[in-house]
Amino acid sequence: MPTTIDNLLSRMTLEEKIGQMILASIEVSRMDAGTREFLRKNHIGNVILFGKNCAGRAALAQLNAEIQHTVMAENGLPALIAIDQEGGCVTRLRSEATVFPSAMVIARTGDSANAYKVGRMMGGELRALGINLDCAPVLDTLSGPAERRYYGQTVQSIADYGCAMARGLRDAGVLACGKHFPGHEQTGADTHFGFVVDNTPRDTLMNSCLTPFCRAMSEDLASVMVSHVCFPALDDTDTPCSMSAPVIQGVLRGQLGYQGLVISDGLQMHAILDQYGAPQGCVQAALAGCDLLIIGNGGDNADPTGKDVQTPCIRALCDAVADGTLSMARVDESVRRILACKLALGWTMPARDAASQDWSNHAALADALAETGVTVQDPHDLLPLPAGTLFIARASGTGTGVTEGDRITESFAPLAARRLGGQCAVYHTVEELPELADVCAAAPAVVFAFGTREEAAAAAQAAEALAAHNPRFCAVCLAEPDALQHYPFAASTVSAWDRTEPAMRAVCRALANPQI
């Protein structure tokens, strides 16, 4: 007996089927004729949003409504509209929405119910704005220094908090996506910028690294994102997992029995782009078993010229079917899963009152959780800070890679000076720091803030020279607390796990009252 999906599939052309397999990016925050035509002519079935697409609640709700109308008119099917909204540094949607703390901060609360609350509230905001797929939670495990995108430093913690986050999203009506199967960044390298090989033994992968994924999949995780890392223990051909049938069909589908959507990581990332090119990467990912392919000119690896990198990928997929490289059966298998997911979701339009919904309780939770991520060391009783303290921090930049959304984050120095009644100095390069020697010497105290380990190390020598002019020197780390090892000369230190505004406000509260 033919099913609804059979009937839908039988009426679709090859181009329409390929369009359903695409998670495309767009360049605009408000729909225009060119974007509408791109979606229409390529039969695009789904869109992934980046920071550049998010211009406030009203504008985003309108954009998503127009995406749905355009996709429905062309294909007769609703769109999956996705976003990377993890919390912390990977927060694409910041303007007029709640910026929740990073995974590590939530894990530090000691209560996985907080991860559920965040997932439920975050999912409620996304769904109200018309977003129905969140590329979160991160279920990767750690083997090196603690990282803010991870739910703690043990397999158990990552499974407990990551699964709670996924349940919260699901209960809000948003599909969750566990990433990056079977793991990522254990080498310290980043597939956004190059080819990565991870030599973790198979037993470790199967018995440890995959545990959070297995747990989430047993709880009906809607989708899994596959990483571009090569794991020779799972596929000895040095093929990225996103393009590896032994990983996707052998381990994920076969050994683990996963039946949900499999999504590739971004196929414009340099791990794929440099070795294969995005079009060939798309074909290989589809052959290997990926259902949804993330391609495009989004924030993580945008073509600086604005060149259309998506149409060649779509053409390559159609050509691969035409010449027999990619079978129609393989395409139909993925499209069936996508159609089943869409039929279960229904047509998810933005809420009519999305722009005016009261999310103040969400912001209150974000601020409360941010407190958990703050650690104060003040052996010389420098804190609380005196009035007129000088705050120094690097200017907020556009960000690269996964932190693309950070481009609208205010620098710590002006925020802290405003909240604590001090003065601020914002620098762009380390070479500018010696120019602050005199103002440092005249200030009642100095707070020097930085983010990542690399940023901390690069500025440490210049910061120590400034501290020689004023011993009342406090170092503030806003991303990776172990970076404070470069600042043994500081009279006091404060650390957090985020450069988000809730984290910066929590740091300010600690500087004003270290006993909180």
Side-chain angles (χ1 to χ4, degrees):
M1 190 73 177
T3 65
T4 300
I5 291 176
D6 290 330
N7 290 331
L8 287 169
L9 204 61
S10 69
R11 296 198 296 267
M12 295 174 72
T13 66
L14 169 62
E15 290 76 15
E16 288 170 338
K17 291 176 180 179
I18 294 300
Q20 288 298 310
M21 295 179 66
I22 302 301
L23 262 175
S25 71
I26 57 178
E27 298 297 304
V28 299
S29 59
R30 289 174 173 79
M31 184 62 75
D32 60 14
T35 301
R36 191 176 287 107
E37 176 61 12
F38 164 73
L39 296 174
R40 189 199 62 76
K41 74 176 182 181
N42 289 296
H43 305 281
I44 298 298
N46 318 284
V47 170
I48 184 167
L49 302 172
F50 291 89
K52 65 184 175 184
N53 306 122
C54 305
R57 290 198 217 177
L60 183 57
Q62 181 64 30
L63 175 65
N64 288 336
E66 296 197 41
I67 290 171
Q68 287 288 5
H69 283 297
T70 301
V71 170
M72 179 65 84
E74 182 60 32
N75 302 319
L77 291 163
L80 295 177
I81 300 181
I83 197 167
D84 289 293
Q85 192 83 350
E86 298 172 15
C89 66
V90 185
T91 300
R92 306 299 192 205
L93 173 58
R94 293 173 181 266
S95 178
E96 300 179 21
T98 306
V99 179
F100 288 97
S102 66
M104 186 63 76
V105 170
I106 296 169
R108 283 169 56 90
T109 68
D111 185 356
S112 61
N114 288 318
Y116 176 85
K117 291 176 185 175
V118 168
R120 185 69 178 79
M121 290 180 177
M122 182 186 290
E125 295 185 12
L126 295 178
R127 183 63 185 252
L129 293 164
I131 296 165
N132 52 24
L133 171 59
D134 188 6
C135 297
V138 171
L139 297 175
D140 300 332
T141 55
L142 280 162
S143 61
E147 298 286 352
R148 52 194 161 154
R149 295 179 70 195
Y150 293 67
Y151 285 102
Q153 295 179 268
T154 68
V155 171
Q156 185 66 41
S157 174
I158 292 162
D160 288 348
Y161 287 84
C163 289
M165 171 71 167
R167 287 195 301 274
L169 288 168
R170 181 187 64 208
D171 289 352
V174 172
L175 303 178
C177 178
K179 60 188 187 186
H180 312 75
F181 185 91
H184 202 298
E185 295 180 355
Q186 297 198 87
T187 62
D190 188 341
T191 53
H192 285 92
F193 307 116
F195 197 75
V196 178
V197 176
D198 187 321
N199 289 305
T200 300
R202 185 181 181 92
D203 284 351
T204 302
L205 288 168
M206 300 304 296
N207 299 323
S208 179
C209 299
L210 295 189
T211 298
F213 290 97
C214 292
R215 166 99 167 266
M217 289 188 289
S218 73
E219 298 182 9
D220 298 322
L221 181 68
S223 62
V224 168
M225 181 182 291
V226 184
S227 80
H228 295 322
V229 178
C230 302
F231 285 89
L234 301 180
D235 182 344
D236 62 7
T237 64
D238 279 347
T239 301
C241 289
S242 56
M243 297 165 49
S244 168
V247 172
I248 297 173
Q249 304 285 10
V251 177
L252 181 56
R253 295 288 192 205
Q255 192 167 348
L256 302 181
Y258 184 61
Q259 297 301 311
L261 289 176
V262 173
I263 304 176
S264 76
D265 208 342
L267 289 158
Q268 280 294 113
M269 291 162 62
H270 285 282
I272 304 301
L273 193 65
D274 296 348
Q275 296 278 4
Y276 309 95
Q280 183 61 26
C282 285
V283 172
Q284 293 300 320
L287 278 168
C290 286
D291 301 315
L292 282 170
L293 309 171
I294 299 179
I295 58 173
N297 212 17
D300 287 344
N301 289 95
D303 187 297
T305 68
K307 179 182 177 182
D308 176 12
V309 298
Q310 302 186 93
T311 300
C313 293
I314 295 165
R315 189 179 302 119
L317 288 161
C318 291
D319 289 346
V321 175
D323 68 19
T325 301
L326 179 63
S327 72
M328 186 65 82
R330 169 79 275 283
V331 172
D332 285 351
E333 179 187 359
S334 287
V335 177
R336 283 181 180 276
R337 289 196 190 94
I338 295 163
L339 294 179
C341 180
K342 291 186 174 186
L343 291 175
L345 265 178
W347 197 20
T348 53
M349 293 292 285
R352 292 182 182 277
D353 64 343
S356 59
Q357 286 187 9
D358 181 5
W359 296 340
S360 58
N361 61 321
H362 300 181
L365 177 65
D367 278 347
L369 294 176
E371 298 276 2
T372 310
V374 176
T375 301
V376 178
Q377 297 290 334
D378 187 29
H380 301 290
D381 295 324
L382 172 59
L383 306 178
L385 291 170
T389 292
L390 173 65
F391 295 92
I392 304 172
R394 188 168 63 89
S396 179
T398 59
T400 57
V402 294
T403 62
E404 175 259 352
D406 275 344
R407 76 189 201 282
I408 58 173
T409 300
E410 183 179 19
S411 175
F412 176 76
L415 182 146
R418 187 172 65 248
R419 293 180 70 87
L420 299 176
Q423 51 188 320
C424 77
V426 175
Y427 70 93
H428 294 84
T429 66
V430 172
E431 288 71 27
E432 298 169 26
L433 289 174
E435 300 171 11
L436 300 175
D438 289 343
V439 69
C440 280
V446 176
V447 173
F448 188 87
F450 46 85
T452 64
R453 298 179 185 96
E454 292 76 14
E455 185 184 335
Q461 185 175 354
E464 186 171 12
L466 294 178
H469 293 277
N470 191 329
R472 295 176 63 79
F473 187 98
C474 176
V476 169
C477 182
L478 291 165
E480 297 163 349
D482 61 307
L484 286 168
Q485 65 184 306
H486 298 291
Y487 292 73
F489 51 86
S492 65
T493 63
V494 179
S495 64
W497 285 95
D498 288 324
R499 213 194 306 240
T500 60
E501 288 198 12
M504 292 194 288
R505 290 194 296 266
V507 167
C508 288
R509 290 192 291 273
L511 291 169
N513 185 357
Q515 304 307 315
I516 291 179

